Amino acid sequence: MSRKDLEALQLERLKHQVQYCMDHVPFYHKRLTDAGVTADKIKSLSDIQYIPYTTKADIRDHYPYGLFAAPMKDICRIHASSGTTGKPTVVGYTRNDLHYWSDCVARLCAAVGVNDEDIAQISFGYGLFTGALGLHYGLEKLGCAVIPISSGNTKKQAMILKDFQTSVLISTPSYAMYMSEVAHEMGISNDELKLRIGLFGSEGCTDALRNKIEKGFGLFSTDNYGMSELMGPGVSGECVYRCGLHFAEDHFFPEIIDSETGEVLPHGEKGELVITTLTKEGIPLLRYRTKDITRIHYEPCKCGRTHARMEKVQGRSDDMLKIRGVNVFPSQIESVMANIDGISPHYELILTRKNYTDYLEVRIEITDEHLLESFAELETLRKTASDKLKTVLGIQAKVTLVAPKTIQRYEGKARRIIDKRNEAEE
Ligand code: DLL
């Protein structure tokens, strides 16, 4: 589609989405009314600037279904991701949403040459996480044979890669790297594999890691981006030229803003990605602040696609961490610890990477020095903290209890996160 036609379509869909939000979501009715915005007043795409931003806190404040625009009888799928507190961010899909979702995913798979002859192994975790089911339906739509193996049990993954003659691997880049090492340790050589394409996403990937994975498995890979609030995977993905991730711009309208001031930045500048959904029915979002930092390019791509391209995500404007594909906020850890007697509010998070797998160690100060004399009591406290963290975060963290006043204090902003993952990777 030419940019002109695409923008005309976006404008028509934007107006419709604004009206739909106004009519079906009391939160948006108030927000838009307070801001003096109506669908009729939107005459051009730049009029989007009059719509207030939506944040993760808005979704959390309406937990679980308060921002849903469709009645529950029309919702046919629910997913969720971690919120900044213990409560997840919940999203719902209508049948049309699922249809468009699989379309967007099928698109990014087709952009790298996946077709109906392929056998696709989905090594994302199936469940509330959008990654596995999102890719699953997109790949099925293309006619691939899908292997829904889920994540974990890496030796079995390697065996299936070989025995089932998997040609497309879907996972986080770090898990793909680990899998290739395990496969080689098991004596599986690339000649015995039929792998040709890797579709990696859900976390960042340096060029160095990408090269290693491609060499390790002898495949060609692309990066794809998304987030559960917006749909899941399918928001953007690379084509074979790998010069940015093409947005599904007929479904998502992207903007880049200054994350401090909220000001919209001119094309090509780096800042926080803000997305407005254009066709969502379950939970439409107007100007959603993703917190992801990137830049958007609008020039035509060598592949011929007219859809704008975002650069690889260069970081986040908040402190969300992606650990083994799972979103973790330090505030979730704080809220767990605040409810355990004997533990002080001082902590440190140490992130390391071994065998391309992320590990989280939570170092926590105890409040009573005397506890150090009782191994049994200390162990009970450690186990309590560890179990509660597992429940809230959804991943296992190593808990280390340390003596009172041993964790560094800061006069300014505390630096509680020690991320050593990239040191190990290069
Ligand atoms: O990670 C959706 C997804 C699944 C995308 C599978 C691609 C493949 P969430 O769990 O809600 O959704 O996490 C969203 O993950 O705001 C980014 O910070 C980060 N992220 C996602 N994809 C990429 C990527 C899914 N390709 C958050 N590169 C986002 C870097 C990514 N970061």
Side-chain angles (χ1 to χ4, degrees):
M1 210 180 235
S2 70
R3 292 282 327 161
K4 192 164 159 275
D5 290 347
L6 177 62
E7 284 165 16
L9 177 70
Q10 287 179 316
L11 181 60
E12 184 195 314
R13 288 186 167 177
L14 174 65
K15 290 168 79 146
H16 180 272
Q17 188 91 118
V18 168
Q19 188 63 51
Y20 179 72
C21 287
M22 191 76 144
D23 294 344
H24 298 280
V25 188
F27 161 81
Y28 275 127
H29 190 281
K30 179 162 186 332
R31 272 276 169 100
L32 293 167
T33 309
D34 289 352
V37 178
T38 60
D40 290 347
K41 283 194 190 157
I42 298 174
K43 303 281 184 220
S44 71
L45 285 171
S46 64
D47 288 341
I48 198 169
Q49 63 181 301
Y50 302 113
I51 301 175
Y53 295 120
T54 307
T55 63
K56 199 169 180 102
D58 293 323
I59 305 184
R60 186 188 64 213
D61 293 346
H62 294 83
Y63 175 82
Y65 304 141
L67 292 194
F68 282 20
M72 218 25 117
K73 74 172 177 51
D74 293 337
I75 298 287
C76 33
R77 179 90 67 74
I78 292 172
H79 280 280
S81 75
S82 319
T84 44
T85 61
K87 297 281 189 198
T89 308
V90 186
V91 288
Y93 304 72
T94 63
R95 200 156 294 286
N96 273 340
D97 290 337
L98 291 180
H99 163 72
Y100 282 142
W101 189 13
S102 46
D103 237 30
C104 290
V105 172
R107 240 183 240 187
L108 68 88
C109 301
V112 58
V114 177
N115 61 50
D116 57 4
E117 308 246 342
D118 277 303
I119 301 177
Q121 181 160 334
I122 301 189
S123 307
F124 278 135
Y126 278 74
L128 288 178
F129 175 56
T130 52
L133 282 167
L135 264 303
H136 184 117
Y137 284 91
L139 288 159
E140 271 193 4
K141 188 159 212 164
L142 276 184
C144 295
V146 174
I147 309 172
I149 187 165
S150 203
S151 59
N153 201 345
T154 312
K155 282 193 173 155
K156 186 167 170 196
Q157 299 267 1
M159 181 190 84
I160 300 251
L161 276 181
K162 175 173 159 244
D163 295 352
F164 289 20
Q165 298 289 278
T166 302
S167 57
V168 181
L169 177 64
I170 292 95
S171 69
T172 57
S174 48
Y175 194 42
M177 187 66 230
Y178 180 43
M179 210 185 286
S180 100
E181 290 195 340
V182 170
H184 294 148
E185 272 164 28
M186 288 165 67
I188 300 174
S189 75
N190 286 350
D191 297 343
E192 296 173 276
L193 299 174
K194 283 275 182 331
L195 266 178
R196 60 184 202 100
I197 291 173
L199 295 166
F200 303 133
S202 182
E203 64 178 16
C205 178
T206 59
D207 284 344
L209 179 60
R210 166 185 267 181
N211 291 340
K212 274 192 193 171
I213 305 169
E214 294 194 337
K215 240 169 123 187
F217 265 147
L219 51 69
F220 181 83
S221 69
T222 53
D223 183 11
N224 69 88
Y225 165 90
M227 66 196 307
S228 18
E229 294 93 309
L230 297 172
M231 154 195 273
V235 176
S236 67
E238 285 177 322
C239 64
V240 285
Y241 291 98
R242 303 197 294 199
C243 50
L245 290 77
H246 289 280
F247 283 108
E249 268 191 289
D250 44 345
H251 297 286
F252 301 99
F253 182 79
E255 297 170 88
I256 295 289
I257 66 163
D258 179 322
S259 57
E260 301 279 315
T261 62
E263 181 200 350
V264 177
L265 297 176
H267 282 183
E269 285 201 21
K270 185 161 106 179
E272 180 182 338
L273 176 68
V274 168
I275 300 257
T276 298
T277 63
L278 296 175
T279 51
K280 285 278 289 288
E281 293 177 343
I283 173 165
L285 292 174
L286 303 179
R287 302 191 92 201
Y288 187 67
R289 294 190 60 159
T290 66
K291 305 276 182 186
D292 289 314
I293 306 294
T294 183
R295 212 191 288 272
I296 305 179
H297 299 287
Y298 289 84
E299 307 81 62
C301 177
K302 278 182 271 181
C303 72
R305 283 179 187 76
T306 51
H307 288 189
R309 291 160 286 140
M310 64 181 252
E311 285 183 5
K312 274 172 171 293
V313 173
Q314 292 171 22
R316 291 188 47 95
S317 65
D318 65 3
D319 53 4
M320 185 182 97
L321 299 163
K322 197 105 197 188
I323 302 173
R324 270 177 265 146
V326 175
N327 303 345
V328 172
F329 290 90
S331 52
Q332 292 176 293
I333 297 175
E334 267 177 48
S335 69
V336 168
M337 289 185 313
N339 292 315
I340 304 177
D341 285 342
I343 276 178
S344 88
H346 300 286
Y347 67 95
E348 254 171 14
L349 307 181
I350 300 156
L351 283 150
T352 48
R353 182 169 279 177
K354 208 174 148 217
N355 288 333
Y356 302 93
T357 306
D358 300 333
Y359 290 92
L360 169 65
E361 179 187 357
V362 185
R363 300 182 73 231
I364 318 173
E365 258 184 32
I366 52 170
T367 46
D368 179 3
E369 213 162 8
H370 294 105
L371 210 61
L372 291 171
E373 286 152 25
S374 164
F375 178 78
E377 276 181 73
L378 212 54
E379 187 49 22
T380 308
L381 187 59
R382 196 198 59 74
K383 190 158 183 329
T384 306
S386 175
D387 290 350
K388 287 200 172 163
L389 280 173
K390 171 95 207 287
T391 310
V392 171
L393 305 181
I395 54 163
Q396 191 77 52
K398 176 181 171 202
V399 172
T400 309
L401 297 178
V402 299
K405 304 209 169 51
T406 51
I407 286 181
Q408 190 171 346
R409 306 294 195 258
Y410 293 91
E411 288 178 351
K413 198 171 157 52
R415 288 209 339 268
R416 302 200 183 284
I417 302 162
I418 303 163
D419 196 338
K420 300 178 174 170
R421 288 180 292 184
N422 282 339
E423 292 170 24
E425 185 188 295
E426 301 304 328

